[in-house]
Amino acid sequence: MSLSRIVLASGRSLDLAELRLSSTYGGMLEGYPCKVVNEMRIRGLMHTAEQAFPSTPVHLVPPPREYPDQYTGAFGPVEVLPSVACVGSFRSTALDPDNDPILYRSALTVVWFQPTSQVPSDCDAEPDLRDVAWEELATDYEL
């Protein structure tokens, strides 16, 4: 049983098998949100996803970035990502039509950011998440 089902813009349905949520800036003791900090956070999430799901390709949905009119510090302008970082393991029907639909599924691990901790579902998922090019990024596996 999946946590949720997401319908991509292409019409393909995905089952969310596992979801890890974390605060984008949780634990940040010093500094401020900026490009350097954000790139480190993204690299860390990608590494975590690759380690957690080693047999599945990992894709980053490029996060939206905001640039509030605030003091520019030593690391450049303030750059803010959405407050919740997400790593999701998704499954769907097989990509290769020659694969037995009973024995094969496709999989992709996705890293994305969203403003709330709400589990994405149906067509209400973040638009950039719904635009994932599943056919190009996911891989088939045998059950």
Side-chain angles (χ1 to χ4, degrees):
M1 178 186 271
S2 67
L3 295 172
S4 176
R5 177 162 284 170
I6 295 173
V7 179
L8 296 179
S10 67
R12 179 182 279 274
S13 291
L14 306 181
D15 291 325
L16 179 58
E18 186 172 333
L19 177 61
R20 298 176 183 195
L21 302 175
S22 59
S23 170
T24 300
Y25 299 112
M28 190 169 144
L29 300 176
E30 291 186 33
Y32 60 95
C34 62
K35 184 175 180 81
V36 172
V37 168
N38 292 339
E39 294 305 318
M40 286 181 2
R41 178 70 169 127
I42 291 168
R43 279 194 307 276
L45 281 170
M46 295 295 287
H47 179 73
T48 297
E50 290 163 355
Q51 296 297 312
F53 307 99
S55 62
T56 307
V58 177
H59 172 68
L60 170 69
V61 174
R65 298 165 192 257
E66 293 182 10
Y67 299 91
D69 188 21
Q70 294 180 353
Y71 170 76
T72 298
F75 298 108
V78 174
E79 179 184 270
V80 181
L81 299 177
S83 59
V84 181
C86 308
V87 176
S89 174
F90 292 94
R91 305 285 183 262
S92 187
T93 56
L95 296 167
D96 186 342
D98 293 333
N99 284 339
D100 184 332
I102 304 298
L103 296 176
Y104 285 85
R105 303 275 291 160
S106 57
L108 180 66
T109 299
V110 181
V111 175
W112 77 97
F113 293 82
Q114 61 184 35
T116 70
S117 59
Q118 184 175 345
V119 175
S121 66
D122 297 321
C123 297
D124 294 334
E126 293 293 311
D128 289 341
L129 180 59
R130 293 189 61 235
D131 286 337
V132 166
W134 187 266
E135 286 72 16
E136 297 169 23
L137 300 167
T139 58
D140 281 350
Y141 67 96
E142 187 173 8
L143 296 174

